[in-house]
Amino acid sequence: MNTMFPLLLMLLGVSHGMNNNCDARQDGAKCYGAQGGSVVLQLMDDASRIFKYQWFKETVQILHGRHDKILSNRIESRSSFTPRNGKLQINKLSGNDGGEYTLEIYFDSSGASPVTRTLQLTIQAPVSSVVLVSKCLAERGMAVFCSAGEGDSPQYSWTLDGLTVKDSQLLSGNSESQIITLKEDVSGQLACSAKNHISSVSEEKRITPCGLETFCDGRQARTTCYGALGGTLVLQLMDNASEIFQYQWLKGQKQMLHWRKNKTVFNQIEYRSSFTSNNGTLRIDDLGRNDDGEYTLKIFDSQRMPSEERTMRLMIQTTVSSVMLTFKCQSQGEMRAACFSEGGDGPQYFWTLDGETLTDSQLLSVSSESQIITLKENVSGRLVCSVRNHISQISACGFLFNNCISPNGTYISHWTHQSRNNLCLEPKTAPTMTPDNSVDPSLLICSSRAAVVILIIIGVFICFACKKNKSQKAEGFAGPEMVNENTSVAVVEMRSSESEL
């Protein structure tokens, strides 16, 4: 069962797009078939109810039948017609099968004018593969070219991180162009799909913004060089190639570059590389995983005898894309800080406090090069975690104003910021301390603001109530005949004076 399931998937994958069904019961229908594959044409509902039918390609009769009996079939060796459902299956399609077909249907023997329907059948070669090539432009942006190796009339579509490429990400072209130019800050998983009516295939690659260029001096034996996936590598192979009679640059046993008598004889990656002979540098764009490996440079003298040989190792890495800091207080007042990174091959971690490497007196466990550290109680300042590999670096900062000051490890105050240039700006005021195991700080702030608003409303209500009550008492002292507001105040004051006497 374990072996049959992958085999079934493989067979389904091979057949996908190679067998097509088409409803040809409408006049002027357009149907498509894959070259070498099959097509099933629904010519009618039930031929057994039809007195006579004929199917022509131009003037050549292909199929002739009456009711449920087939009188002739010109392509019988590679086709089959089922009268009860009106379906014709044609196998081993070729370009000659393409063209316009006409179906004539006679419903009775009266010889009246038949019902005719036309059908346009197009045979296409399936799209078998896609090549995706990108190149950084001298001015700005990145040109990306999508090419279908085989296939008739391919149509192209582009996505970035699973979504259709937007006009705001493009300098030229659109999501259906074969060639597009991406803006200089665009990065992510770029995919190109090429399809026609009978097949579809896609290719994708990780692209990084242009300008991510690395340099390596490969003039020493056993050099290790690093390049960014999708980026550019400038490799110094020698001092001056024009003074060398002949050399070869190989990856394993495969020849990549061959130079002789000041002329490039062969360049396996010519479409994305350039060699400058006067300074011996090889520039390789659009680095991919396949570029990773061990290379050998062989130099020959004018007698074609080997004079020098040296090897180098090229490693392709992805860049570190983001970093996040998390903090948690421990039971004895110490703080646990963790640094998490996304992307990046072989990330390495480094911690500093106020610009200095963390010391053993500040750490409770592990070292300043660990992903997770534990700080001793009352350690405060600007904490920075840097994550880097050989082609990129990014940092995240945390300002610790008050460490875990409660013996129970319940309070913490910090502020974090991410920066590619390692510049972390301290906020003007210290953040409010919040319990680490309590409600979200944002909820507390919202609750406090709501409480203040409620108190203000209650205060205003009390104020109005008191004023109304005072007004009612004043009207009671004045009597019903006192309707003037100004005189009522005077009466109240006078009566008050008389009561005192």
Side-chain angles (χ1 to χ4, degrees):
M1 180 65 182
N2 292 337
T3 57
M4 286 299 293
F5 185 67
L7 179 60
L8 178 60
L9 289 179
M10 183 183 71
L11 291 174
L12 288 173
V14 171
S15 63
H16 176 70
M18 301 299 288
N19 294 286
N20 294 277
N21 293 279
C22 183
D23 190 345
R25 289 173 293 182
Q26 297 296 321
D27 185 36
K30 293 183 178 181
C31 299
Y32 297 88
Q35 190 163 357
S38 302
V39 66
V40 178
L41 302 174
Q42 182 83 54
L43 294 179
M44 58 198 81
D45 292 322
D46 187 352
S48 62
R49 299 181 180 180
I50 298 174
F51 174 71
K52 185 176 73 171
Y53 51 88
Q54 298 178 93
W55 196 52
F56 297 88
K57 182 185 178 184
E58 297 175 355
T59 59
V60 178
Q61 186 184 74
I62 305 296
L63 183 67
H64 181 203
R66 286 188 179 182
H67 297 298
D68 57 357
K69 185 178 181 181
I70 302 172
L71 300 178
S72 66
N73 185 352
R74 190 178 182 86
I75 53 174
E76 185 177 7
S77 62
R78 58 186 182 93
S79 71
S80 62
F81 179 68
T82 308
R84 60 182 173 81
N85 60 20
K87 290 184 178 180
L88 172 65
Q89 177 169 326
I90 307 174
N91 305 314
K92 299 180 182 179
L93 292 167
S94 67
N96 293 330
D97 293 316
E100 185 173 275
Y101 292 78
T102 303
L103 177 66
E104 293 182 353
I105 299 176
Y106 297 84
F107 286 99
D108 53 44
S109 59
S110 64
S113 298
V115 174
T116 61
R117 299 173 189 160
T118 60
L119 157 70
Q120 182 67 45
L121 179 60
T122 302
I123 307 302
Q124 291 185 330
V127 180
S128 60
S129 63
V130 169
V131 177
L132 194 59
V133 180
S134 61
K135 185 177 181 62
C136 289
L137 303 177
E139 312 81 40
R140 57 173 184 165
M142 175 189 293
V144 192
F145 176 69
C146 185
S147 175
E150 295 179 359
D152 294 324
S153 305
Q155 295 178 327
Y156 299 90
S157 61
W158 296 86
T159 61
L160 185 67
D161 293 330
L163 301 175
T164 301
V165 174
K166 302 176 182 177
D167 292 339
S168 60
Q169 298 168 321
L170 296 169
L171 286 174
S172 65
N174 56 53
S175 61
E176 297 181 357
S177 302
Q178 184 177 8
I179 302 175
I180 61 174
T181 303
L182 296 169
K183 292 184 178 179
E184 53 191 348
D185 60 343
V186 174
S187 63
Q189 197 71 17
L190 183 69
C192 170
S193 296
K195 64 181 181 180
N196 54 19
H197 289 90
I198 49 91
S199 63
S200 177
V201 67
S202 62
E203 180 67 24
E204 63 179 36
K205 65 183 298 183
R206 185 79 183 175
I207 61 168
T208 55
C210 288
L212 192 54
E213 184 175 291
T214 55
F215 174 82
C216 184
D217 191 342
R219 290 174 293 181
Q220 299 296 321
R222 302 181 183 276
T223 300
T224 300
C225 299
Y226 296 89
L229 185 64
T232 299
L233 172 67
V234 178
L235 179 60
Q236 181 89 46
L237 288 177
M238 57 200 75
D239 293 321
N240 190 344
S242 61
E243 299 177 357
I244 298 176
F245 176 76
Q246 178 178 317
Y247 72 85
Q248 291 177 303
W249 194 53
L250 304 96
K251 181 184 179 184
Q253 300 299 318
K254 183 179 181 180
Q255 182 174 255
M256 304 298 292
L257 186 64
H258 186 191
W259 172 275
R260 186 173 62 214
K261 296 181 178 180
N262 293 329
K263 183 179 180 180
T264 301
V265 178
F266 175 78
N267 186 353
Q268 175 68 26
I269 52 175
E270 184 177 7
Y271 64 95
R272 61 184 179 95
S273 69
S274 59
F275 181 71
T276 306
S277 60
N278 60 0
N279 59 17
T281 59
L282 174 65
R283 181 186 180 91
I284 307 175
D285 298 318
D286 191 21
L287 293 169
R289 293 293 188 186
N290 292 334
D291 294 316
D292 193 292
E294 186 172 282
Y295 294 79
T296 303
L297 178 66
K298 295 183 178 181
I299 300 177
F300 302 86
D301 60 22
S302 58
Q303 303 301 317
R304 299 187 178 180
M305 298 296 293
S307 60
E308 186 180 354
E309 181 175 317
R310 56 177 180 263
T311 60
M312 63 160 285
R313 180 78 169 86
L314 175 58
M315 300 184 70
I316 306 301
Q317 292 187 332
T318 56
T319 58
V320 181
S321 58
S322 65
V323 176
M324 180 179 69
L325 281 180
T326 63
F327 303 86
K328 186 175 182 181
C329 290
Q330 305 296 306
S331 59
Q332 301 301 318
E334 65 274 13
M335 178 191 292
R336 182 176 178 269
C339 189
F340 298 97
S341 62
E342 290 186 3
D345 294 319
Q348 296 178 323
Y349 300 85
F350 302 91
W351 296 84
T352 61
L353 186 69
D354 293 331
E356 301 291 336
T357 302
L358 286 170
T359 63
D360 292 340
S361 62
Q362 297 165 324
L363 290 167
L364 192 64
S365 63
V366 300
S367 68
S368 61
E369 297 182 4
S370 302
Q371 186 178 3
I372 301 174
I373 60 173
T374 303
L375 296 166
K376 291 183 178 180
E377 187 179 0
N378 295 326
V379 172
S380 62
R382 187 187 68 171
L383 184 67
V384 177
C385 171
S386 297
V387 185
R388 68 188 183 196
N389 55 15
H390 290 87
I391 51 100
S392 64
Q393 176 172 333
I394 189 172
S395 301
C397 316
F399 283 93
L400 308 178
F401 293 93
N402 294 284
N403 204 343
C404 299
I405 58 176
S406 169
N408 297 325
T410 57
Y411 292 95
I412 178 174
S413 176
H414 66 274
W415 177 83
T416 60
H417 171 71
Q418 178 180 305
S419 173
R420 289 191 176 274
N421 55 16
N422 204 24
L423 293 177
C424 296
L425 303 177
E426 185 173 359
K428 295 180 180 179
T429 58
T432 305
M433 288 192 300
T434 57
D436 184 52
N437 58 353
S438 65
V439 183
D440 192 304
S442 60
L443 295 178
L444 291 176
I445 293 172
C446 291
S447 300
S448 300
R449 290 177 177 174
V452 171
V453 172
I454 292 172
L455 288 174
I456 291 173
I457 293 173
I458 292 173
V460 172
F461 178 77
I462 293 173
C463 221
F464 274 106
C466 290
K467 188 173 181 181
K468 183 177 180 181
N469 188 36
K470 185 176 179 180
S471 176
Q472 288 176 348
K473 287 182 180 180
E475 290 177 1
F477 282 121
E481 72 278 9
M482 306 299 293
V483 294
N484 188 296
E485 186 177 354
N486 295 328
T487 58
S488 66
V489 176
V491 170
V492 171
E493 292 180 351
M494 181 181 67
R495 291 185 178 180
S496 298
S497 300
E498 289 177 354
S499 63
E500 290 177 1
L501 293 174

